[in-house]
Amino acid sequence: MNHLTRRSSPPASSRSGFSLVEVALAVAIAALAIITLLGLLPQGLEMARKTSLLTNNSSILEQVIRNLENMQFSDIPTTGVVNKYYTDEGLEVASDSKEISYVVEIDYRQTASLPRADLQDPAKLRRLVIRVASSSSSSYTFDPNNKIGYVTFNHLIAKSR
């Protein structure tokens, strides 16, 4: 005699899957992680902007100093202010260029001296103040009352011959 046995479905507690509470908890944790990452995004973008600006300023400053140090010492001006213009890639351009991203002011008017009088030879020592502004305007003015708009670097050039 064949007996048919009826299999009953397993109880609801032993079925595979996730409960509504588990799904809600997982979504809450994921939302918290996403909100935290989105909160860090503006700081990351600001850090990237500052790093890019610092890199470009350093590249331009290095180029200006290298050009000045390669000049004959007698050709380096002792007075006056000179403006130079650069692209966002650090290439020097003319003042009427449409690609200006940085304006550089080189101030030759500063005096330089050494502490001991017997070591001083002002003919072989120059102090330069180099200001770099991130501006696309060739008529940008370096206002001493608004020093937040540009970065100032001091540099000494000394030659023994």
Side-chain angles (χ1 to χ4, degrees), residues 87-106:
T87 66
D88 58 350
E89 297 173 353
L91 302 173
E92 189 172 354
V93 293
S95 62
D96 59 350
S97 174
K98 302 287 184 208
E99 298 178 349
I100 294 175
S101 293
Y102 294 91
V103 179
V104 177
E105 179 184 78
I106 306 169

Side-chain angles (χ1 to χ4, degrees), residues 70-133:
N70 286 335
M71 293 172 71
Q72 292 292 327
F73 201 79
S74 58
D75 294 338
I76 298 173
T78 56
T79 59
V81 176
V82 174
N83 284 351
K84 295 186 179 242
Y85 308 95
Y86 292 85
T87 66
D88 58 350
E89 297 173 353
L91 302 173
E92 189 172 354
V93 293
S95 62
D96 59 350
S97 174
K98 302 287 184 208
E99 298 178 349
I100 294 175
S101 293
Y102 294 91
V103 179
V104 177
E105 179 184 78
I106 306 169
D107 187 354
Y108 298 100
R109 299 175 295 187
Q110 307 297 319
T111 59
S113 62
L114 296 172
R116 288 182 26 199
D118 60 330
L119 295 176
Q120 290 186 8
D121 186 1
K124 300 295 183 191
L125 185 64
R126 297 271 196 284
R127 178 177 174 214
L128 309 171
V129 177
I130 303 167
R131 298 175 186 94
V132 181

Side-chain angles (χ1 to χ4, degrees), residues 53 57 101-105 131-135 140 142 149-151:
L53 187 63
N57 284 347
S101 293
Y102 294 91
V103 179
V104 177
E105 179 184 78
R131 298 175 186 94
V132 181
S134 177
S135 173
Y140 180 85
F142 291 85
Y150 57 89
V151 182

Side-chain angles (χ1 to χ4, degrees), residues 134-161:
S134 177
S135 173
S136 59
S137 171
S138 62
S139 61
Y140 180 85
T141 56
F142 291 85
D143 184 9
N145 296 325
N146 184 21
K147 291 185 178 183
I148 199 164
Y150 57 89
V151 182
T152 303
F153 300 95
N154 290 289
H155 186 71
L156 285 174
I157 296 178
K159 300 276 185 169
S160 61
R161 316 178 235 145

